[in-house]
Each structure stands twice: as C-alpha cells, then as structure tokens.
Amino acid sequence: NEVGCWKCAPPRYVFDYRFAVSFFVFLWNNALNIAMGQCIIAGAVGVWFFTPNAEKGKNSPIKRSCWNVFRYHLGSLAFGSFIIAVIKFIRYLMNYFEKQAKAQKNKVMALVLRCLRCCIWCFEKCVKFLNKNAYIQIALMGKNFCTSAKAAFWLILRNALRFGTIGILSYMVDLIGLFFIMATSVGLGYLVHQGLHPETAPLIPMIGFVMMSYVVAKLFLNVFGMAVDSTLQCFLACEEMGLGGNFVPSAMSGWLDKNKAIEDVHKD
C-alpha cells in the first residue's frame, strides 16, 4: 500500500530520549555560556565602579571578575541557566507537537499549541530579563541565585521608572549604533575592495561585510547594554545603602549627592 501524501507517511527519523537529552544539554550549555559572559561583564563593571577614581584604569577588572565567577558563582549561574534551558526545551517541544498536529490535520490542536508556544515565549523573555539582573546582583553582592533573583525583582519594582527609561534609551542607542557600525564597516569595505580589486563585482564581498558587521555590532552593543545595566545597579546600590566616597564616577556624584539631600529633607 503506497502512501499518497508524504505527510501521512511514517517519519524516517524518530526522536527518542537520547536526542532529547543531547538537545537539552546543548540548550543548557548555551544558556550557561551566556550567563558566564553576563556575570563577567557585570563583575568587571562592579570592580571598576567601586575602585577609587585615582586608581581607575590601573588594575584589570576583567581578570578579577573572571576569577570571582569561576571560583564562587559558577553554581548559581548553572542553576539560572538550567531554568532558561527548561523553558526553552518546553517551547521547542510545543513547536514539535504543533508540527505533528499540522501533519495530522488537527487544526484545533495546532492552534492551541501555537498559543501555548507564544505564552511560553513571553514567559521566557521575562525570565531572561530577571536572570540578567540576578546575575548582576550575584556579581555585585556575591549571594546565591535565588536570593539575587528576589533582590533583583524588588529592585526593579522599586525603580521601575528608571529601568524603563534605561530600557528605552538602550533600545534607541542599539538601533543607532547598529546602523552606524554596519554603515561604516560596509562603506570602508567597499572602498578597500574597490582599491584592491576594482575589476571585480562588489556584490558578494558586500554581503559578507554586511553579515560580519552585523555580528560585530550585536556583540559590541550587547556588551555595552550589559555594562549600562550593571552601572545602573551599582548606582542604585550606592543610593539605597548610603554609600559614597571618592570611588563614585564624577558624572554620577552630582546625582548621588542630590538624591541624598532630598532623602535628608524627607527625614527631617
């Protein structure tokens, strides 16, 4: 008996538990690498922020941050990345079930699974945002993941306007930076190509320049955005804990003194 439609035929490859375990390990490793990168950046920003102004730039904050992450915080980062991996695995599983429902022409079940996948995607974005701020708390305060996630959640609620403003400004800076980095890279690449090989068509090299400049721009802007979020939490820590001194950057010392003055007036 020949099958009339390829969608109705038995699958050539069956996904068993070995594929599921391998795929979950891949998701976990990916999330852990991202978590370590974010925590290293946050730790480096924290070391730089709380270093006295006269000594800023003399030491290597990245080296100290890497030591702290691999020596003290690896377990917390592994737990946080495990949560992200579980949510991603469930979302991909819903996508697989949706494809199976479409192959069986079950439109209702396919629609339900698509709605579930969208809800899980939104939940994943929220957890990623909370985890990123929890990693900053881990790097700054040195506490475990659950305590840091709780502290980050309440910190966001107490300073929702500030986080929202920083989020909007960061989005605008990302767009502007992405445009200028790509435009500059492609323009310089075109000039170099025309100077070296004026007889060849520049289409294929320009496509390569666009792809490489996009990757470089996204990596640079991700580091920049993480540094901005870490600096904001350092400033909020100084403000809420009443810290001050010659370590506060000059651009922020005026704001910190102004907020202290306002708090003293309210206390009086």
Side-chain angles (χ1 to χ4, degrees), residues 38 41-42 45-46 136 140 225-235:
Q38 291 177 338
I41 296 172
V45 172
I136 298 175
L140 296 181
M226 190 67 190
V228 170
D229 293 337
S230 302
T231 306
L232 174 63
Q233 291 209 24
C234 291
F235 175 80

Side-chain angles (χ1 to χ4, degrees), residues 241-254:
M241 299 172 65
L243 302 177
N246 60 347
F247 64 86
V248 181
S250 58
M252 294 184 175
S253 59

Side-chain angles (χ1 to χ4, degrees), residues 95-152:
N95 189 23
Y96 174 75
F97 289 156
E98 181 185 349
K99 298 295 183 183
Q100 296 297 318
K102 287 182 178 179
Q104 297 176 3
K105 297 182 174 58
N106 192 339
K107 296 182 178 180
V108 176
M109 183 57 67
L111 181 61
V112 171
L113 291 170
R114 180 177 296 181
C115 294
L116 286 175
R117 185 161 55 89
C118 292
C119 294
I120 294 173
W121 179 81
C122 295
F123 180 68
E124 178 186 344
K125 291 295 183 181
C126 296
V127 173
K128 281 185 176 180
F129 178 75
L130 181 61
N131 275 21
K132 182 182 71 172
N133 289 278
Y135 298 151
I136 298 175
Q137 287 287 316
I138 291 172
L140 296 181
M141 303 300 179
K143 298 181 180 179
N144 58 54
F145 176 79
C146 295
T147 304
S148 300
K150 180 181 178 181

Side-chain angles (χ1 to χ4, degrees), residues 58-74:
K58 296 182 179 179
N59 299 323
S60 177
I62 297 179
K63 184 186 298 185
R64 185 174 177 183
S65 178
C66 290
W67 166 257
N68 291 336
V69 167
F70 287 101
R71 176 63 178 84
Y72 302 107
H73 307 320
L74 200 58

